[in-house]
Amino acid sequence: GEFIKIKTIMIKIGITGSVSSGKTTASKIISSNRGPLFSADKVVKQLYKKISFKKIIARKLNFKFNKNFKKALRNKILDNKGSLNTLGKIIHPSVRKEMFSFLKKNKNKKMVFFEIPLLIENKLKAYFDTIIFIKSNKSLRLKRYKLNGGDRRLFALLDSKQIKDLKKMKFCDYVVVNNSSLYVLKKKLLNIIKHYE
C-alpha cells in the first residue's frame, strides 16, 4: 500500500492575564521541556532596542526624541490617556508578524506556547487551541509590579486599559489563580497540561 504521511497536529496554547499576574513565570513553567515559547513582551523589548522604532514613537506621540526616551515616554503616557492606544496601534502589528513567523519556524512541533498579555483585547483568540488565564488579586499584582521597579500610577493606567478579569475569563479555557506559592502555581499548571501531552 502507499505510504500516507500523517501531519502532526500542533497544539497552540495561549497564556494571558492581567498586569503582573505571573504570566511570564507561568509560561516558563508550562512550556519547559514541552515546546517553544513565544513572548509578546520579548518582541516589544527588541523593538525598543531599535533607535528607528523609538523615533517613530516619539514622532507619533509628539515628544522630543533624546536620551531620556524612557522617561519622556512614561510621562507622555501618564499625561495623555490616548497615548497607550496609539502605542498599541504601532506595536501590535509587529507582535502579530513575529507571532506568525514563530509559528512557521516551529511548524513541526507538537506543542507551542504563547505568552500574550493583550491576547483577548487584540482579538487573537482564534489562533489558539487553548487559552489559560492567570488570575491574581490586584493588591498582589501591584506589589509585584512595584518590586520590578514599576510605578503605581503606570500600574493603575495599564490595569485600567485591560478588559476586566471576569469578562476576560469567559474567553479562556482555564483560569489559574496565582495568589499563593510557586509550588501551587506549578501544580495547577501541570494539572492542565497533562491533558495535552
Side-chain angles (χ1 to χ4, degrees), residues 127-148:
Y127 298 110
F128 303 99
D129 301 300
T130 289
I131 299 171
I132 300 169
F133 186 83
I134 309 296
K135 182 175 169 36
S136 189
N137 69 42
K138 197 168 178 173
S139 57
L140 209 58
R141 292 191 292 109
L142 175 61
K143 205 168 118 186
R144 285 189 197 124
Y145 189 79
K146 280 160 70 179
L147 275 175
N148 286 325

Side-chain angles (χ1 to χ4, degrees), residues 18-95:
S18 302
V19 183
S20 292
S21 53
K23 297 178 295 290
T24 306
T25 307
S27 304
K28 283 177 183 156
I29 292 170
I30 205 164
S31 64
S32 174
N33 299 322
R34 288 182 188 91
L37 170 64
F38 171 87
S39 156
D41 284 351
K42 239 181 218 160
V43 172
V44 175
K45 275 196 183 100
Q46 292 305 117
L47 284 173
Y48 276 112
K49 282 182 180 161
K50 297 178 185 159
I51 298 263
S52 55
F53 176 77
K54 290 199 269 202
K55 283 184 171 161
I56 291 169
I57 298 245
R59 196 177 71 235
K60 295 256 188 187
L61 292 186
N62 204 6
F63 64 89
K64 240 169 89 96
F65 174 77
N66 57 30
K67 65 178 192 308
N68 290 328
F69 173 81
K70 215 172 163 179
K71 197 177 169 189
L73 176 61
R74 199 181 77 203
N75 292 340
K76 195 73 188 176
I77 289 169
L78 289 170
D79 291 342
N80 177 359
K81 303 274 184 273
S83 299
L84 263 185
N85 298 344
T86 310
L87 208 50
K89 286 188 185 110
I90 304 167
I91 292 170
H92 181 57
S94 297
V95 172

Side-chain angles (χ1 to χ4, degrees), residues 13 37-39 57 88-89 99 108 112-113 176 178 181 191:
I13 296 171
L37 170 64
F38 171 87
S39 156
I57 298 245
K89 286 188 185 110
M99 189 176 117
N108 297 320
V112 282
F113 299 84
V176 172
N178 179 28
S181 68
N191 243 341

Side-chain angles (χ1 to χ4, degrees), residues 30 34 111 187 189-197:
I30 205 164
R34 288 182 188 91
M111 266 188 208
K187 224 167 110 172
L189 291 166
L190 297 186
N191 243 341
I192 293 171
I193 202 68
K194 68 174 192 228
H195 300 295
Y196 299 92
E197 289 185 293

